Amino acid sequence: VFMAFYGATVLLKFIFSLRNKKELWTKKSAQKKTIKGLLALMEGRWKSSQRLLEKSAPNSETALINYLAAARAAHEQDDDDKRDDLLRQAHKSTPKADVAVGITQAQLQYSRGQYEQCLATLVRLRKLAPKNAFILKLLKQSYLKLRDWNKLSNLFPELRKLKVGTADELNLLEQQVHIEKLNAAISSSSDKSEHGKREALNSVWKAIPKRLASAAPVVTDYVNHLITLDDETTAEKVLRGVLKKHWDDSLVELYGLVAGVDIEKQLLLAEGWLKERPNNAPLLVVLGRLALRNKQWAKAKEYFEAGIQVCPTAQAYGELARLLASQGEAEASNENFKLGLALMADGLPELPLPQEASVAVS
């Protein structure tokens, strides 16, 4: 009896030993195939990578990694059905890896241009991991691709909270978003009349945060729309209000292109700015233009000439040349036109021309 019991024990140990050796060999084989599959993936050998990773996944200790990498390999072969099947197997192998599987799926959908599907995946993932910065980044990129400015606009508090991008990057992006919203208000207004477009435009403008309502790119876009809609009165009022608190040369230049309710007060206001900035070239050109609106020809000429002395620009020369031409000073006008054209041509490369000739501009 003892010998029989002892023999059975030895036999069982032998059987278990064989089984353990087989399992160990299987795991080692799976590990080797996994490594080969990952190397193939890095080398861009998609078909080989998918085959090795998928085949070794059931016996691999990293089955989740195998299936996710295999899904990427299938994706690179444009086999979306197989990609999605492998992602399902990845989730089945590790049910608690919802976020990892979902992020991989969203990345692959995004790279394929499947932005709607990607967005649906990301919305689901946000419920599982609301503080995941990478999910938020992908969501931001998806809204950009889909041009969903309203949804993207609502995302900025969280983007800043989770620091998805630098402060400067987020500020520039937020400006872009509100500019796009202003543009969309004009193009998508149900009322196609100028009045209807103005109403839609002003509705969006009023909803813009105050800190952005003074940003030069946003203000410029809004004012240009107002000018197009023949509402220079509002444009002048907006520019005046912004420049009172935030000086910007580009907005000053725009101020010289609009006519408010009282053009005489406009000129007086700009002359007040000049006392604080006596050598501001853009402001001097603006003053010349405002003087022209007020039919103060001598003053306009002085301002244009002063602007040229501070910083010669094509616009300053052009305005002065046009004024001189209207006063019958053709020779002086032509000379200023030439000087302005020379400045415009400064950025042109040196190329052969048929002949040298002086062209008179009248």
Side-chain angles (χ1 to χ4, degrees), residues 17-305:
S17 175
L18 286 176
R19 181 178 296 176
N20 288 338
K21 285 181 179 179
K22 184 178 180 181
E23 288 178 357
L24 185 61
W25 180 86
T26 302
K27 287 181 179 180
K28 284 185 176 180
S29 177
Q31 185 180 11
K32 288 180 180 179
K33 288 179 180 177
T34 298
I35 293 172
K36 286 183 179 179
L38 291 174
L39 285 173
L41 185 70
M42 296 301 104
E43 294 170 0
R45 295 184 286 115
W46 316 122
K47 188 174 182 179
S48 177
S49 173
Q50 181 189 332
R51 178 178 55 80
L52 286 165
L53 291 166
E54 187 178 0
K55 188 175 181 180
S56 59
N59 299 310
S60 174
E61 294 179 352
T62 58
L64 176 65
I65 303 299
N66 284 57
Y67 284 124
L68 292 179
R72 188 173 294 277
H75 173 81
E76 295 294 345
Q77 297 174 78
D78 297 328
D79 191 345
D80 291 353
D81 291 336
K82 185 62 179 177
R83 175 199 69 189
D84 294 340
D85 178 59
L86 287 165
L87 287 171
R88 283 190 290 270
Q89 291 186 61
H91 181 266
K92 188 177 179 181
S93 72
T94 315
K96 293 183 179 181
D98 281 343
V99 175
V101 175
I103 287 177
T104 301
Q105 184 177 27
Q107 284 180 298
L108 298 179
Q109 289 169 333
Y110 183 88
S111 69
R112 178 75 77 237
Q114 298 169 335
Y115 304 123
E116 294 283 358
Q117 296 94 318
C118 176
L119 183 60
T121 302
L122 292 169
V123 169
R124 176 178 60 81
L125 283 174
R126 286 208 71 206
K127 295 177 183 178
L128 299 174
K131 295 183 180 181
N132 188 300
F134 188 62
I135 293 173
L136 198 60
K137 180 180 179 180
L138 289 174
L139 195 60
K140 176 199 72 175
Q141 292 172 341
S142 298
Y143 283 139
L144 270 172
K145 289 293 184 181
L146 292 168
R147 301 179 67 80
D148 193 334
W149 310 120
N150 290 322
K151 291 284 181 66
L152 183 53
S153 180
N154 295 333
L155 210 59
F156 279 101
E158 291 175 86
L159 289 170
R160 286 193 167 85
K161 185 178 179 180
L162 295 178
K163 297 181 179 179
V164 182
T166 66
D168 288 342
E169 288 171 346
L170 291 175
N171 287 337
L172 288 174
L173 179 60
E174 194 168 14
Q175 288 179 25
Q176 178 194 342
V177 168
H178 286 290
I179 287 172
E180 293 291 353
K181 289 174 73 173
L182 288 168
N183 296 341
I186 295 291
S187 59
S188 61
S189 174
S190 56
D191 187 345
K192 299 301 180 182
S193 67
E194 285 195 353
H195 175 74
K197 289 180 179 180
R198 275 198 299 270
E199 289 291 318
L201 181 70
N202 290 331
S203 176
V204 173
W205 173 254
K206 289 175 183 177
I208 292 177
K210 288 185 178 180
R211 58 187 172 77
L212 289 173
S214 59
V218 181
V219 176
T220 298
D221 189 73
Y222 177 55
V223 167
N224 281 331
H225 284 308
L226 289 173
I227 294 172
T228 302
L229 295 171
D230 198 24
D231 191 1
E232 291 189 23
T233 300
T234 303
E236 187 274 332
K237 184 179 178 181
V238 169
L239 287 169
R240 175 165 29 98
V242 173
L243 287 168
K244 186 178 180 180
K245 298 177 181 179
H246 306 279
W247 183 263
D248 185 276
D249 284 351
S250 65
L251 295 183
V252 170
E253 290 180 23
L254 200 55
Y255 190 75
L257 302 177
V258 297
V261 174
D262 191 330
I263 55 175
E264 187 177 351
K265 282 187 177 180
Q266 267 187 268
L267 178 57
L268 291 173
L269 175 67
E271 287 178 331
W273 293 338
L274 187 65
K275 292 176 183 179
E276 300 174 8
R277 304 168 184 82
N279 294 318
N280 187 292
L283 178 56
L284 287 165
V285 175
V286 166
L287 281 163
R289 285 170 169 164
L290 291 174
L292 288 178
R293 287 187 185 277
N294 284 274
K295 299 182 180 180
Q296 298 183 26
W297 318 125
K299 181 179 279 191
K301 181 181 177 183
E302 289 176 8
Y303 281 133
F304 291 139
E305 289 174 340

